[in-house]
Amino acid sequence: MHLRELFDRSFKAARIGVWECSLPDQTLKWTDTVYEFFDLAPQTALARDEIVRLYTPGTRRQLNELRDRAIRTGEGFTLDAQIVTAKGNNRWIRITACVEFAGGTATRIFGVKQDITAEKTMMEQLRHLAERDILTGLTSRTRFETFLSEICGADGHGAKALLLADLDGFKSVNDTLGHQAGDDCLKVAGRRLSRAVPDAHMVARIGGDEFAVIHPCSSPEDLAKIAARVVKGMHWTISTPARNIRIATSVGAAIIVPGQSPKDIFAKADHVLYEVKSAGRNGFRIAPSSRSALEAAPATLLKDGNRLTAGRF
């Protein structure tokens, strides 16, 4: 009896409950801990159809498939299941199931359920931290690189382009006003960039004052318009009692060709970005693309609002 009490207390402390379902009448039996998971009073009458409706639709489909297969084959399963409890609370439970047979027929399916809500919440927070730039809230470089690789490896999902943007004048903000002002400048830049490309698949901060955009693109002319919006939208003045600091942006863009390596696509956009900076900053250039994708676009600089055609590369 003492060992049984220790066993029950240990399971309760670990947020683990025991369950069983008799076959074929579908009668459910739970320990008190499982009732707690579903926000039901212990010993509440259980109807399996009503309980199954507490699982989210996606989890319900998975559970039914795994359960049917287990009853058919005798192989158990483990499933992380999402539920909305009787009181409307979202919760995650890990279901472990085994099947008991008699005379070649499944007579009982049983196992344990464990509350893993805290684990799922922590994992989601870690995923969010890994995928988001903490300062600006934009996508992180890690997630950007993953997404770019996925785009380059996909076929038939519409033409897309990569735009790289560097702030012009950011060093003056840090040197003159300090790092807090520099951080504020980057936050403003992130908001302005997001507003300039509302239809982007992804907007990321990939370095100190370096940003990247992956955007739908129907033609080189379309890409030129997108790049021009970025340059225009990320142009503002920081006013201080001592001086005014003008922030501008240089952009290099390249059409994403499926099958070409992400490294090569990035290098093409980065190369023309460097050319913009070398030519005076505050403008954009578009890298040539293979004829099998989209025709190469003119490389263009914007100087004080006037467009200057620099020719094809």
Side-chain angles (χ1 to χ4, degrees):
M1 185 66 179
H2 177 64
L3 288 176
R4 177 59 184 270
E5 288 180 358
L6 286 176
F7 180 82
D8 290 343
R9 288 180 181 179
S10 297
F11 263 48
K12 190 174 182 65
R15 300 288 288 162
I16 297 174
V18 178
W19 62 275
E20 73 170 11
C21 180
S22 298
L23 302 174
D25 62 5
Q26 307 297 324
T27 301
L28 289 175
K29 292 182 180 179
W30 290 352
T31 58
D32 288 353
T33 303
V34 180
Y35 282 95
E36 291 178 14
F37 296 165
F38 287 81
D39 286 334
L40 293 170
Q43 307 312 312
T44 297
L46 299 173
R48 186 174 182 276
D49 287 346
E50 294 179 5
I51 297 302
V52 168
R53 281 196 288 269
L54 296 177
Y55 290 90
T56 61
T59 292
R60 193 182 310 144
R61 286 191 296 272
Q62 286 182 285
L63 177 60
N64 287 335
E65 290 172 2
L66 291 171
R67 186 178 187 272
D68 290 345
R69 186 176 66 184
I71 292 172
R72 186 174 65 253
T73 65
E75 297 178 1
F77 66 87
T78 298
L79 173 66
D80 288 356
Q82 188 176 16
I83 63 173
V84 180
T85 72
K87 294 182 179 179
N89 295 314
N90 288 293
R91 191 164 287 155
W92 283 89
I93 55 175
R94 181 165 292 146
I95 303 171
T96 302
C98 301
V99 184
E100 184 178 88
F101 279 75
T105 302
T107 59
R108 185 170 69 118
I109 184 167
F110 63 96
V112 297
K113 295 184 179 182
Q114 181 179 13
D115 185 353
I116 58 169
T117 305
E119 175 187 329
K120 286 288 186 178
T121 300
M122 181 181 68
M123 292 303 295
E124 178 60 24
Q125 290 173 342
L126 290 174
R127 184 194 65 79
H128 181 79
L129 288 173
E131 294 187 353
R132 288 287 162 185
D133 174 60
I134 296 175
L135 181 63
T136 63
L138 300 178
T139 302
S140 69
R141 178 165 191 138
T142 299
R143 176 57 188 145
F144 159 75
E145 290 176 345
T146 300
F147 187 64
L148 181 59
S149 295
E150 292 170 355
I151 293 295
C152 290
D155 290 320
H157 295 287
K160 299 175 180 63
L162 168 65
L163 299 92
L164 300 179
D166 271 14
L167 296 184
D168 304 326
F170 178 71
K171 187 176 185 299
S172 295
V173 177
N174 268 340
D175 293 347
T176 305
L177 305 178
H179 290 288
Q180 181 59 55
D183 287 349
D184 292 340
C185 178
L186 292 172
K187 292 176 184 177
V188 172
R191 291 194 295 269
R192 282 177 167 267
L193 178 56
S194 296
R195 287 198 299 267
V197 287
D199 298 323
H201 293 300
M202 176 175 287
V203 181
R205 180 183 174 217
I206 59 173
D209 62 343
E210 302 169 353
F211 299 86
V213 175
I214 296 177
H215 201 288
C217 172
S218 60
S219 67
E221 292 75 20
D222 183 35
L223 180 53
K225 292 176 182 178
I226 297 165
R229 287 205 312 268
V230 171
V231 174
K232 181 178 179 181
M234 297 182 72
H235 187 284
W236 77 101
T237 300
I238 299 175
S239 299
T240 71
R243 59 178 294 193
N244 292 329
I245 301 175
R246 190 181 76 163
I247 303 297
T249 301
S250 298
V251 174
I255 293 166
I256 297 173
V257 180
Q260 193 168 8
S261 74
K263 182 179 179 181
D264 289 343
I265 296 290
F266 190 94
K268 288 169 67 175
D270 192 52
H271 177 73
V272 291
L273 170 62
Y274 178 79
E275 290 181 335
V276 175
K277 287 186 168 293
S278 297
R281 305 171 185 264
N282 186 29
F284 70 87
R285 288 192 178 185
I286 299 174
S289 176
S290 67
R291 300 293 173 180
S292 61
L294 296 174
E295 291 295 313
T300 303
L301 293 177
L302 298 181
K303 300 298 287 181
D304 299 323
N306 296 316
R307 181 167 295 180
L308 304 177
T309 300
R312 294 181 183 274
F313 287 88

